[in-house]
Amino acid sequence: MTDRYAVLGNPVTHSKSPLIHAEFAHQTGEAMDYTAIEAPDEGFASAWQQFAAEGGRGANVTVPFKEDAFALCDTVSHRAKRAKAVNTLILGGNGRLYGDNTDGVGLARDLAYHRVVLKDKRVLIVGAGGAVRGALEPLLAETPSEVVIANRTAEKASVLASDFADLGNISGGGFDAIEGEFDLVINGTSASLAGDLPPLPEGLFAKGAWAYDMMYDVEPTVFLQWAGPRGARLLDGLGMLVEQAAESFFLWRNVRPNTVPVRETLRQSLNY
């Protein structure tokens, strides 16, 4: 029997997750079907419940529903509890819903794949949503000298920073509070999906700095288009997507796929 999984989000038609998990299933010989489901803005819970009633065993959750998924779960992992956000749902045989967060693992593995060193570096993270929450613990584990969170709502960034202050030197505020140069600037907002650029100041990138957008598209995102001429080395979120998907696949199937050929296949499907 083929087990059913899905990705739930809005928007979700652009998602490469079905292709990624099809590649993983083919590579490992796992019998599974994976589809994309666009949930209504206020209808995440009902969309998941309908999918589960139709035989769904698990799902990935993308913007803007990661915090909704956290609230829906009966139990969650340590990293999901820390993030207060869930991107991986697992339906137990007893009908209880378990949530995990593989975003941070995905980002950390992608940065390591590209040999981006964080130790003693300044890191700026733009945004304070579920994806950023999921990324903070593994990023701070790499002992950067400082992590700064900048968000349109300064209070949300400040509260988020205080939630993780026990793990390292971290602060949060509005865009007007950004000061100095950074070695890594991560766009953790979904603004790129709408072609919007956060209001970032000039002089943001230190020599040899990286600009990382958690989003990806067939062309470089507007954030990366802005960062490139300002001297940054560019990375999009495609590798993070593959790596977090591999961790979800492992949680569902107890098999760890090889991400390298899937990375290459997806990269070839883009225009850059």
Side-chain angles (χ1 to χ4, degrees), residues 54 60 63 107 121 133 145 156 197 203 226 230 264 269:
E54 294 170 352
N60 287 128
V63 292
L107 176 60
K121 305 295 186 182
R133 279 190 163 277
S145 63
K156 188 173 182 180
L197 180 69
W226 177 83
R230 289 161 176 79
E264 294 171 352
S269 73

Side-chain angles (χ1 to χ4, degrees), residues 97-198:
L97 187 61
Y98 176 80
D100 206 338
N101 191 309
T102 67
D103 280 331
V105 170
L107 176 60
R109 288 178 183 165
D110 192 37
L111 291 172
Y113 179 85
H114 291 286
R115 295 180 173 83
V116 180
V117 177
L118 298 184
K119 184 175 176 60
D120 298 328
K121 305 295 186 182
R122 289 194 84 212
V123 179
L124 172 66
I125 305 179
V126 182
V132 172
R133 279 190 163 277
L136 285 175
E137 184 173 19
L139 281 178
L140 288 165
E142 297 297 319
T143 62
S145 63
E146 182 182 13
V147 172
V148 176
I149 304 170
N151 192 57
R152 291 185 189 274
T153 306
E155 183 181 4
K156 188 173 182 180
S158 178
V159 170
L160 179 55
S162 68
D163 286 347
F164 288 84
D166 60 311
L167 300 182
N169 182 17
I170 184 170
S171 62
F175 291 106
D176 57 350
I178 299 173
E179 294 182 350
E181 297 180 337
F182 293 86
D183 302 291
L184 171 65
V185 179
I186 300 173
N187 180 24
T189 74
S190 58
S192 294
L193 295 179
D196 295 330
L197 180 69

Side-chain angles (χ1 to χ4, degrees), residues 194-268:
D196 295 330
L197 180 69
L200 297 170
E202 296 291 333
L204 199 58
F205 299 103
K207 184 178 180 180
W210 292 89
Y212 191 108
D213 199 325
M214 288 187 180
M215 301 295 115
Y216 65 93
D217 207 337
V218 293
E219 300 289 343
T221 67
V222 64
F223 169 69
L224 295 181
Q225 291 178 39
W226 177 83
R230 289 161 176 79
R233 293 179 283 178
L234 309 180
L235 291 172
D236 68 12
L238 197 66
M240 175 181 174
L241 178 69
V242 174
E243 295 296 342
Q244 65 82 20
E247 185 71 6
S248 295
F249 188 91
F250 175 74
L251 292 170
W252 292 327
R253 314 300 297 179
N254 200 33
V255 177
R256 195 170 292 283
N258 181 3
T259 59
V260 174
V262 181
R263 281 173 169 272
E264 294 171 352
T265 297
L266 289 184
R267 185 58 67 192
Q268 289 169 8

